[in-house]
Amino acid sequence: MKVTFTAKEYRQLLELVHLGMWAVTGYQGEDTAVARRYFAFDQKLLGLATEMGCADFVEDRDDGTLQPSAKLSEDDRVRDIQNEFQNDVFWHELVARLADRDLASEHTKRGMDTPGVEPPPTSDEQLKKIEERYWKEFEKNDLAHVVVLRGGHG
C-alpha cells in the first residue's frame, strides 16, 4: 500500500502520533508493554519527517531514537488539546468516583438502618442520578464548594 501526504497532512499526522504517544506514555512512561507496542511505528513515522519537509518537527535523542521537537510538542494547538483532555479526564473521573462512593455509602447506610436486610443491587439509574447532581454542582460552582476532610478535622 502506498499513501501520499502533503507536508500539511504529514504534520497533522505527526501531531496525532505525538498526541497518541503522549496518551500512551503520559503517566506510566515509555517502558510499558503498551508503549513498546507503538514505539516502532512512532519511530517509522518520525523517521519520514525530513523526506516530507517536516524535519524541524523531529529531533534525535542521545540514544539514536527520534522524538518530537519542541516546535511540535510545545505547539499551542497541541498543548490546548492536551490541556482540554486532562481537564475532561479530571472532571469525569471526579464525578464518577464521587458517585461510586456515594452510592456505596447509601447502600452501607441502608444496610445499617435495616440490619439483616440486603441492600438492593447497584443500579445504573441511581448512579446516573448521583452523577447528574455532581455535574450540575461542578458546572455551576467549579470546586468552590468542595471540602476535603483530613483525618475528620476539615
Side-chain angles (χ1 to χ4, degrees):
M1 173 171 73
K2 184 171 179 150
V3 180
T4 57
F5 295 103
T6 65
K8 181 181 177 182
E9 291 170 330
Y10 181 75
R11 181 204 164 137
Q12 290 173 325
L13 180 61
L14 285 178
E15 288 174 4
L16 281 171
V17 169
H18 171 63
L19 289 166
M21 290 302 288
W22 171 81
V24 167
T25 63
Y27 293 107
Q28 297 178 352
E30 295 177 355
D31 195 28
T32 63
V34 71
R36 286 189 297 273
R37 176 178 181 193
Y38 298 111
F39 184 76
F41 185 63
D42 174 63
Q43 291 297 293
K44 184 175 187 176
L45 289 171
L46 293 173
L48 298 171
T50 301
E51 177 183 331
M52 295 300 298
C54 296
D56 54 340
F57 294 108
V58 176
E59 62 189 25
D60 294 316
R61 290 182 177 170
D62 292 337
D63 66 2
T65 61
L66 300 171
Q67 69 181 12
S69 69
K71 185 172 183 177
L72 174 61
S73 64
E74 296 175 11
D75 178 82
D76 288 340
R77 288 175 297 197
V78 171
R79 290 290 178 135
D80 288 346
I81 292 167
Q82 290 170 322
N83 290 334
E84 188 174 325
F85 175 80
Q86 287 177 314
N87 189 56
D88 288 347
V89 168
F90 168 78
W91 288 110
H92 284 272
E93 277 294 308
L94 182 61
V95 165
R97 289 177 186 218
L98 289 172
D100 286 342
R101 179 206 60 189
D102 291 356
L103 186 60
S105 177
E106 285 179 19
H107 285 281
T108 300
K109 185 176 183 298
R110 188 176 296 121
M112 290 171 50
D113 291 344
T114 55
V117 177
E118 289 292 316
T122 301
S123 164
D124 287 339
E125 194 171 294
Q126 284 178 295
L127 194 58
K128 284 184 184 203
K129 285 180 183 179
I130 295 169
E131 286 178 353
E132 285 175 21
R133 286 195 312 254
Y134 278 116
W135 278 118
K136 286 178 185 176
E137 171 63 29
F138 292 141
E139 286 170 0
K140 183 177 178 184
N141 299 301
D142 202 64
L143 292 174
H145 295 159
V146 173
V147 176
V148 176
L149 301 177
R150 294 183 197 115
H153 300 290

